[in-house]
Amino acid sequence: MDNLQRRTIQEDMVQYQLFPIQTHSSSPQQTEEHLKRLVEDVLAKVASLMMRYIWQHESFNLKYHPEKAGVPAHIGGSTQFGDNVEDEWFVVYLLQQITEAFPELIASVEDNDGEFLLIEAADYLPKWLSPETSENRVFLYKGELHILPCPSKSSPVGVSKDVVPSVQQATLMLSTHPGACLASPKIRSALKKRLEGYPEKIKGDLHRAHCFIPSAVAMVLSHRPDLVAPAVSAFYLRDPVDLQACRSFKTFPPDTRVLTLVTFTRCLYAQLQQQQFTPDKRSGFTLPPRSHPQYKSHDLGMKLAHGFEILCCKCRLPSSEPDAPVSCNPQWKGFMDSLKANGYFREELEGSAHYKELTRSAENFFKQSVSKSSALSPGEEVLQLLHSCSPINLEELKKRETQPPQEDSDSWLDISAQDLERMLQERSVGRADVGSQNSSCTKQGTQNVGGAEEGRKETEEDKKEEEAGYSLVAVSQGMKNFLNAMSSHEGAELPWSSSTQPFSVEPDSMAKALDRLLGSNEEELDSDDLDDDNGDDEDEEEEEGDEEEKEGCADMNGTETLDGLRKYMDQMDEELMSTNIGQSFNLTKYNKVDMDDGSPHSSASLHGGGREGTEEGEEEEEIQPLDVDLNLVTNLLESLSCQSGLAGPASNLLQSLGIHLPANSDRA
């Protein structure tokens, strides 16, 4: 996988490979048979998870890949996740479960950003690890994240950062030195936090809503709930040509609409709900007034019916010949045995209604993911279901409308400013810890004050303690520390950046190195200089004279430059004195006694210099120094107030420094 191949990955696609650990030599034919058996076993292992999941565009899939361009034979695939990035992370979770259940497999996963797993742990990565040095280094092995290290004094295991290891080298190093390749605890915890909640998160990401849909659509979704995704995408990505087929609704007539509970993912529901669409009058779809209690159900059902009609209008009618049952496939028996071994049927009695439902789901999964016997489009699958299933009992569906199951609340679509702030703080919990360390001294000082007020209520004490944690002194000190910090050529390092040992340099060694590079060291002479020994004394005297003249000129030039700069600053002070610019700054106030005592502040000017007098006829005016801390805090607070709680330069700067201020409670 070279850099060129990485750049060709589609923007909304994730690619993954599973490489076997070669314990013994085998022929290509044996390797192919072994990997194809692994595909069946792996899919059977994750089948119970995948059957409950609704994919945005494409599902998780695996197939055999022969050896090519130095990449050994492996199994892998790609999944297009579209607008639902949770599909990408569910793929990562599946790979984690697969490598844990099959320790002989090593997984790699990437998208158009490269090794996106490292992005989640960017705050804890070693300095040498970058997008340019991470190729063939990041793997999932035995359910944990592994990174091929660089050799060091403490451990010689690893590959130099300037070398791109091959896949064979990577798999060999992981199998022989798994401990040395294991990622640090902070990196692994960052990945685990991103995957936290699975597999329960699968159910939590679903949203059930009432929809008035044609009875044929209700029948299709009862057999294949996953077909809601292509229908929503078809409506979401519609064009004028697609809507021409929705004028007549030949496949899903609107006069057969029934109230049904439809299961979406949150991404699909948001895409359908947020679309503003008015149906064609010729379509037969009429919506009640917006004040009607079931307006949302009619609106969602109308949009979903349009999506299914668009899917089917692009497809040809399926063949009248029935497909061969999956039981005739030689892989079916082995797949069912693997499902039973993995506890898919959950001790259900064979022949029961729930057992038959699970078997039907397993058959659909087997056709789509394992055997891949049917290469039908979603629209063709819908038409095939309409022709193969029994006739629709409209009266039975109408009876179910009287007591429909309860739908889910869509309040999660509305996010308040407090919810957004909480979500951002959860994402940057590590950075918030840095900010709490910066203000720890201030918190300790305020705890003693709070202890003296024992008579107040607990709520008031908690509020005081929380407000005491926000210190304006920490704001000023944090900015000073950031400006005074020494940065490298790579840019300024923020407080939470993972830092190694501080950089140190020996001045003598640096001076000698510069002398050798610039040729100013008298001890290092060319061979031509060694040959001419007679004129050395004269040359030295001439060089000394030249050096003295140059030093004198340099001193004069430096003095003239400094004097010129002072005159320039004095002129600027005189021009600014006639304006009101000085009134926009807060000045440090000193008593007259302090100024008369020869205080250094008495002669300080706006720019740190002084003016001894003014032109004749003008009174001498003392210029007081600026209060830098007060001006800094005042300007930052004014910027935060102008942002009105939104993102902006002031809030971004403070958050990057690990400093968090409360929301503005002053309504004035």
Side-chain angles (χ1 to χ4, degrees):
M1 296 179 297
D2 55 3
N3 292 332
L4 181 61
Q5 184 178 354
R6 285 189 174 187
R7 297 190 189 100
T8 58
I9 299 178
Q10 192 173 329
E11 184 176 357
D12 57 348
M13 180 177 290
V14 56
Q15 290 185 356
Y16 36 88
Q17 295 90 16
L18 289 164
F19 300 100
I21 297 177
Q22 298 293 342
T23 56
H24 58 277
S25 60
S26 58
S27 63
Q29 185 177 1
Q30 292 175 338
T31 302
E32 181 179 356
E33 293 176 357
H34 173 66
L35 291 177
K36 287 183 176 180
R37 285 197 304 270
L38 269 178
V39 170
E40 299 178 14
D41 296 339
V42 167
L43 291 177
K45 177 65 180 178
V46 298
S48 59
L49 297 173
M50 292 179 59
M51 290 179 195
R52 294 181 287 162
Y53 198 83
I54 298 177
W55 300 89
Q56 184 78 9
H57 280 299
E58 296 177 349
S59 64
F60 179 82
N61 58 89
L62 293 174
K63 66 177 182 178
Y64 167 75
H65 294 268
E67 182 177 359
K68 183 180 180 182
V71 179
H74 62 280
I75 57 177
S78 61
T79 298
Q80 186 179 1
F81 53 84
D83 294 330
N84 192 5
V85 73
E86 283 301 323
D87 285 4
E88 182 177 28
W89 287 105
F90 183 57
V91 168
V92 176
Y93 173 74
L94 292 178
L95 294 175
Q96 184 189 51
Q97 297 298 307
I98 291 170
T99 55
E100 186 176 2
F102 299 89
E104 70 274 16
L105 292 176
I106 299 174
S108 69
V109 56
E110 60 181 355
D111 60 9
N112 65 306
D113 292 325
E115 303 290 351
F116 65 93
L117 298 183
L118 300 181
I119 299 178
E120 288 296 314
D123 295 336
Y124 313 108
L125 298 180
K127 289 287 186 180
W128 61 267
L129 192 58
S130 64
E132 292 77 19
T133 60
S134 63
E135 186 176 355
N136 290 347
R137 286 183 179 270
V138 184
F139 297 92
L140 289 171
Y141 179 49
K142 295 183 178 180
E144 295 287 351
L145 183 64
H146 288 69
I147 301 175
L148 267 61
C150 281
S152 60
K153 295 180 180 179
S154 59
S155 176
V157 178
V159 181
S160 175
K161 65 178 182 179
D162 300 326
V163 178
V164 178
S166 64
V167 176
Q168 293 90 336
Q169 291 175 334
T171 55
L172 179 61
M173 186 174 296
L174 282 173
S175 59
T176 53
H177 303 284
C181 300
L182 187 65
S184 66
K186 289 185 178 180
I187 296 177
R188 285 183 283 135
S189 63
L191 179 60
K192 288 180 180 179
K193 185 177 181 180
R194 185 61 180 83
L195 300 176
E196 190 178 11
Y198 285 110
E200 293 80 9
K201 196 175 181 179
I202 299 175
K203 185 177 180 181
D205 191 52
L206 299 178
H207 181 87
R208 301 179 303 168
H210 290 156
C211 299
F212 276 97
I213 54 178
S215 58
V217 174
M219 187 273 297
V220 169
L221 292 178
S222 65
H223 288 80
R224 291 283 304 278
D226 58 295
L227 288 176
V228 69
V232 173
S233 297
F235 176 77
Y236 188 73
L237 303 174
R238 67 191 181 278
D239 56 30
V241 178
D242 295 333
L243 294 179
Q244 290 180 1
C246 298
R247 296 174 180 173
S248 58
F249 272 90
K250 298 179 180 178
T251 309
F252 303 102
D255 54 353
T256 62
R257 283 178 293 177
V258 292
L259 183 63
T260 308
L261 189 70
V262 180
T263 302
F264 304 87
T265 63
R266 288 192 170 187
C267 181
L268 293 172
Y269 178 79
Q271 287 181 329
L272 203 64
Q273 171 69 14
Q274 300 300 324
Q275 285 277 305
Q276 300 295 329
F277 179 73
T278 302
D280 193 299
K281 295 181 179 180
R282 292 167 290 183
S283 65
F285 276 94
T286 56
L287 297 179
R290 290 184 177 272
S291 59
H292 195 278
Q294 291 183 325
Y295 171 79
K296 186 176 70 173
S297 301
H298 282 275
D299 183 58
L300 288 174
M302 176 268 298
K303 297 174 183 176
L304 193 59
H306 276 74
F308 274 99
E309 188 71 25
I310 292 173
L311 279 180
C312 296
C313 73
K314 299 179 179 180
C315 303
R316 56 179 175 81
L317 293 176
S319 175
S320 58
E321 298 180 1
D323 293 337
V326 294
S327 58
C328 298
N329 194 307
Q331 297 176 309
W332 171 249
K333 186 177 183 304
F335 179 72
M336 283 292 289
D337 293 339
S338 298
L339 289 179
K340 293 177 181 178
N342 291 314
Y344 169 72
F345 290 98
R346 289 168 288 186
E347 299 182 357
E348 292 289 337
L349 294 177
E350 189 171 353
S352 62
H354 195 198
Y355 187 92
K356 292 180 179 179
E357 182 179 352
L358 292 174
T359 303
R360 186 181 63 187
S361 300
E363 290 178 355
N364 292 331
F365 179 80
F366 181 81
K367 292 178 181 178
Q368 299 169 37
S369 302
V370 182
S371 66
K372 299 178 182 178
S373 56
S374 61
L376 301 178
S377 65
E380 291 173 339
E381 291 181 354
V382 171
L383 293 176
Q384 190 176 52
L385 278 173
L386 292 176
H387 284 75
S388 60
C389 293
S390 56
I392 302 171
N393 190 345
L394 187 58
E395 295 181 359
E396 181 66 24
L397 295 176
K398 288 286 187 181
K399 290 180 181 179
R400 297 178 185 176
E401 291 184 2
T402 57
Q403 294 180 347
Q406 187 176 2
E407 64 178 353
D408 298 331
S409 172
D410 60 358
S411 59
W412 51 268
L413 283 172
D414 302 322
I415 300 178
S416 62
Q418 292 78 9
D419 295 335
L420 180 60
E421 184 68 22
R422 176 181 53 80
M423 293 166 62
L424 292 175
Q425 289 194 359
E426 288 178 357
R427 291 289 295 166
S428 59
V429 62
R431 302 176 182 179
D433 292 341
V434 177
S436 63
Q437 292 177 3
N438 293 337
S439 58
S440 60
C441 297
T442 307
K443 289 184 179 180
Q444 291 176 0
T446 55
Q447 285 176 355
N448 297 330
V449 179
E453 301 174 347
E454 297 179 356
R456 295 188 179 184
K457 297 180 180 180
E458 290 186 359
T459 55
E460 295 180 356
E461 292 179 355
D462 295 340
K463 185 177 181 180
K464 289 289 184 182
E465 186 177 356
E466 181 180 0
E467 292 178 352
Y470 301 108
S471 173
L472 296 181
V473 178
V475 176
S476 175
Q477 190 62 37
M479 287 292 296
K480 288 181 179 179
N481 295 338
F482 175 69
L483 294 175
N484 294 331
M486 186 68 67
S487 302
S488 65
H489 67 280
E490 294 182 353
E493 291 190 3
L494 298 173
W496 67 80
S497 298
S498 55
S499 58
T500 56
Q501 296 181 354
F503 176 77
S504 61
V505 62
E506 297 181 4
D508 296 337
S509 301
M510 179 64 73
K512 291 180 180 180
L514 290 175
D515 288 339
R516 286 195 298 269
L517 290 174
L518 300 176
S520 60
N521 194 340
E522 296 179 357
E523 296 179 357
E524 295 188 6
L525 300 176
D526 296 337
S527 59
D528 297 336
D529 297 331
L530 295 175
D531 294 338
D532 191 8
D533 295 336
N534 297 327
D536 286 348
D537 297 336
E538 297 178 0
D539 294 340
E540 290 178 0
E541 292 178 359
E542 293 178 359
E543 289 177 359
E544 289 177 359
D546 294 340
E547 289 179 359
E548 292 178 358
E549 293 179 1
K550 291 180 179 178
E551 290 177 358
C553 294
D555 294 339
M556 292 178 62
N557 292 335
T559 305
E560 292 176 357
T561 303
L562 186 58
D563 293 340
L565 182 60
R566 286 175 178 171
K567 292 179 181 178
Y568 182 71
M569 299 297 290
D570 291 340
Q571 292 177 4
M572 288 182 62
D573 288 342
E574 293 177 3
E575 292 181 7
L576 292 175
M577 287 296 297
S578 61
T579 65
N580 296 327
I581 190 66
Q583 299 178 5
S584 63
F585 297 96
N586 295 305
L587 305 178
T588 303
K589 296 181 179 180
Y590 294 95
N591 296 328
K592 182 72 176 177
V593 178
D594 297 336
M595 297 181 181
D596 294 339
D597 291 341
S599 174
H601 300 286
S602 61
S603 60
S605 67
L606 185 64
H607 300 284
R611 292 174 60 234
E612 297 179 355
T614 59
E615 296 181 358
E616 296 180 358
E618 296 182 1
E619 297 180 357
E620 184 175 352
E621 185 175 355
E622 296 293 343
I623 301 178
Q624 297 178 351
L626 294 178
D627 191 334
V628 179
D629 294 343
L630 182 58
N631 281 282
L632 171 65
V633 174
T634 302
N635 291 333
L636 282 176
L637 292 180
E638 288 179 358
S639 298
L640 286 173
S641 178
C642 294
Q643 292 175 199
S644 302
L646 302 176
S651 59
N652 293 340
L653 177 61
L654 292 176
Q655 188 172 6
S656 65
L657 296 176
I659 300 172
H660 298 271
L661 294 180
N664 185 12
S665 59
D666 187 6
R667 299 180 180 179

